[in-house]
Amino acid sequence: MSFTAILSGIFEGFGVTATVTLLGMLYAVPFALAFGILQYFTRGWRNMLVTAIIEIWRSTPILVLMFVFYYTLPGLGITLSGITVGAMTLGLHIGAYGSQSVRAALQALDRGQVEAGFALGLKRRQILWSIELPQAFGAMTPTFVNQFIQLVKGTALVSLITLSDMTHRAMEINQLTFDPAGIYSALLIAYVMICYPATIFGRWLEKRTVPQGRGNREL
Amino acid sequence: MNFDLHFAASMLPTVIEAMPVTILVALVACVGASLIGFLLETLRRSNRYLGIFIRFVIDFIRSTPVLVQIYFFYFVLPFYGVTLPALGVGMIGLSIYYSGYLAEVFKAGIDAVPAGQFEAGKALGLKRIDTVIFVIAPQMLRNIAAPMGNYFVSILKSTPYLSVIGVNEMLGASMQVASDTFRYGEPMAIVGITFLLLAVSVAQFVRLLEKRLLLSSRR
C-alpha cells in the first residue's frame, strides 16, 4: 500500500475524531467556565467541594475515567453510546484543567478593577460579566488553545472503547496489510497535520497576549 | 448487574500489587523526560539552524498523541529488528512524549534567568557547558519547580496507556481480572479511586517540595 493510500485510509476515521473533539468542547468549555468562576467566588466548605470535584476530574487518568464510565455505567443501568462516553470523559477532564486557567486569569486581575466596578454602583455579578471576564479572557485564550490540542490528541483513546477513529483505522489497516512502519508513521503525520496549525496559532496568540520582555537568548 | 462491593474489595490487593510497576515506570519516565527535554532545549539554543530543526522536533512530539507514539515504538521497532520488552518501550514512549513538554518548561525557565548570569560565567572564563550546568541550571530549577512537578504528575497519570501494549501496571492488572471474570465495573472503579489517591498524594508532595524550594531561595 502506498503512503498516500494509507494516509487517506486513516483519514476515513477523521469524522469520529472530529465529532468526539467537537462534542468534547461542548462539555469542556461550560465546565471550565462554570467551575473556574465557582472556585474563584466560593469560600470555606463550598470552595472545598468545588475543588474536590475539579481534582477528581484532573487527578484520575483519562483512560481510567473512560473505562470507569464505559464499563461501570451499564452495570448501574445507564447506557450511553461510546461517542458520548468518550466526549464526556475527555471534555470534563480537559475542562477541569481549563477551569484552573479561568480561575488563575480572574485572580491575576488587579483588585482595583472590582473596586472601580463597586464605585460605579455595579452589582457583583455585573462586575464579573462586564469587567472581570472580558479582561481575563485574553489571558486564558492561549491556554484554551493548548487544551484544545490536548483534546484532539486525547481522542486517540476512544479507539480503546472500540470507536472507529483515526487511531482505530490505523490499527485495522495494520491488521490487513501488516506494514507497521508505514502505517504508524502515517498516523503520526496525520495527527501532526491536524494539531500543528493549532500549535502555531497558539504560539502566535501567546505572543500577542503575553508581554514579551526576555526571550530566546542563545545558550 | 449490580455493583458488587465484595468483589470490588477483593480487587484491592491486585491493584496494590501492580502499584510498584506504575511507580517504577513513572519514575524512569520522569528522569528520562527531564534529561531528553533538557538536551533538546540546550541543542535548540546552541545553533540557529539546528535550533529550527529541534524546534520542529519538539512541535512534532507535542502534536501527536502519546498513545500513538507508544504504538509507534511498540510496533515499528521490532520491524527493524529491535525487540524491547513492553515495559522498556513504554518507558521510552513516555520519556520522549513528555520531553517535548519539559523542553518548553526549560525554555521558560532559562529565559527567566537574567542574562547577566550567563555573561558572568563567560567573564569568569567558564566553558559554555560549565556555565549551563553550574550557573544557569540551578537557578532555572528554582523557576520551573512548579510546572515540572505538574508534568511529573501528568506522567504518573499517563502510565495506564502502557496497559494497551501489555504492561502489567495498575490498569493492566485490573483489566486482566476484568476479562477473566467478565465484570468490568468494579475493577475499573477501584483502579480509578486508587489512581485518584495516588495522584493527589504525589501532587501534595510536589507542592510541599515546591514550598521548601521557594523558602530556601528567599535571601
Side-chain angles (χ1 to χ4, degrees):
Chain A
M1 246 172 130
S2 75
F3 196 73
T4 42
I6 295 172
L7 206 56
S8 68
I10 285 172
F11 268 108
E12 276 169 27
F14 179 72
V16 175
T17 298
T19 311
V20 175
T21 306
L22 292 179
L23 282 177
M25 290 296 282
L26 286 185
Y27 285 97
V29 174
F31 184 78
L33 282 174
F35 274 77
I37 292 171
L38 274 176
Q39 206 184 16
Y40 175 61
F41 270 113
T42 49
R43 298 281 174 271
W45 69 270
R46 286 192 189 84
N47 185 268
M48 277 163 70
L49 184 68
V50 171
T51 310
I53 294 171
I54 293 173
E55 283 301 316
I56 287 174
W57 282 102
R58 247 162 57 102
S59 301
T60 322
I62 312 184
L63 185 58
V64 173
L65 280 175
M66 207 175 273
F67 280 4
V68 168
F69 280 83
Y70 190 68
Y71 290 119
T72 312
L73 287 182
L76 302 172
I78 306 165
T79 325
L80 298 173
S81 73
I83 293 218
T84 313
V85 171
M88 187 177 75
T89 42
L90 279 167
L92 296 184
H93 182 86
I94 302 289
Y97 273 95
S99 73
Q100 296 306 294
S101 65
V102 172
R103 180 187 52 83
L106 285 171
Q107 277 175 347
L109 285 181
D110 197 301
R111 276 290 303 165
Q113 297 289 333
V114 179
E115 283 158 18
F118 276 126
L120 287 171
L122 295 178
K123 292 200 185 76
R124 190 69 190 84
R125 207 178 42 190
Q126 288 174 309
I127 296 175
L128 176 73
W129 283 109
S130 48
I131 299 180
E132 289 180 285
L133 275 181
Q135 291 188 66
F137 199 67
M140 61 203 190
T141 336
T143 338
F144 268 28
V145 176
N146 278 335
Q147 303 298 343
F148 174 75
I149 299 168
Q150 295 294 336
L151 182 62
V152 178
K153 292 193 296 175
T155 57
L157 293 178
V158 297
S159 64
L160 299 176
I161 53 174
T162 63
L163 291 183
S164 196
D165 75 320
M166 298 201 317
T167 307
H168 202 262
R169 281 291 303 158
M171 292 162 78
E172 281 169 3
I173 299 171
N174 191 33
Q175 273 160 14
L176 290 176
T177 60
F178 204 69
D179 168 26
I183 289 164
Y184 286 102
S185 312
L187 184 60
L188 284 173
I189 288 167
Y191 277 104
V192 169
M193 280 162 72
I194 299 170
C195 295
Y196 195 51
T199 309
I200 302 285
F201 175 67
R203 195 168 296 142
W204 176 80
L205 211 62
E206 206 160 335
K207 240 180 213 149
R208 295 205 39 167
T209 49
V210 179
Q212 295 285 298
R214 319 151 187 264
N216 264 7
R217 282 198 315 279
E218 281 200 0
L219 193 73
Chain B
M1 192 160 74
N2 288 322
F3 195 86
D4 184 353
L5 271 181
H6 201 72
F7 177 53
S10 74
M11 274 305 301
L12 259 180
T14 318
V15 173
I16 288 172
E17 249 169 61
M19 202 184 276
V21 182
T22 295
I23 292 173
L24 174 75
V25 170
L27 281 179
V28 172
C30 284
V31 175
S34 305
L35 290 179
I36 302 172
F38 190 62
L39 185 75
L40 280 175
E41 182 52 22
T42 321
L43 279 178
R44 196 181 71 76
R45 282 161 188 273
S46 64
N47 175 308
R48 197 154 158 230
Y49 298 104
L50 185 68
I52 294 170
F53 173 68
I54 300 279
R55 170 87 265 163
F56 180 73
V57 170
I58 294 174
D59 282 340
F60 192 97
I61 294 174
R62 280 159 49 96
S63 299
T64 46
V66 58
L67 183 68
V68 175
Q69 287 185 16
I70 289 172
Y71 278 145
F72 181 83
F73 290 117
Y74 188 65
F75 290 117
V76 175
L77 286 182
F79 200 70
Y80 291 110
V82 186
T83 320
L84 292 172
L87 191 68
V89 173
M91 286 169 178
I92 293 173
L94 285 183
S95 297
I96 290 183
Y97 179 73
Y98 280 99
S99 72
Y101 288 90
L102 283 166
E104 292 289 297
V105 171
F106 289 131
K107 172 182 184 308
I110 293 171
D111 282 343
V113 175
Q117 296 292 326
F118 189 68
E119 285 155 15
K122 220 181 210 171
L124 287 171
L126 290 178
K127 275 191 218 129
R128 253 162 91 106
I129 180 96
D130 285 342
T131 316
V132 171
I133 293 174
F134 296 111
V135 181
I136 307 289
Q139 301 186 60
M140 177 193 74
L141 277 180
R142 207 171 280 151
N143 290 335
I144 60 173
M148 228 171 136
N150 284 342
Y151 278 116
F152 286 167
V153 179
S154 293
I155 290 176
L156 175 71
K157 287 190 301 175
S158 301
T159 54
Y161 296 129
L162 304 200
S163 66
V164 300
I165 55 170
V167 175
N168 224 17
E169 46 68 67
M170 276 155 51
L171 183 64
S174 328
M175 275 308 262
Q176 233 162 37
V177 176
S179 53
D180 284 348
T181 57
F182 294 107
R183 291 185 71 98
Y184 286 88
E186 294 87 349
M188 290 308 111
I190 289 297
V191 84
I193 294 166
T194 316
F195 252 112
L196 179 67
L197 294 177
L198 193 63
V200 167
S201 40
V202 170
Q204 288 301 330
F205 176 71
V206 166
R207 212 160 289 165
L208 206 76
L209 218 63
E210 210 177 283
K211 224 176 238 169
R212 296 206 49 167
L213 216 60
L214 285 179
L215 271 184
S216 68
S217 75
R218 219 172 268 161
R219 280 166 285 232

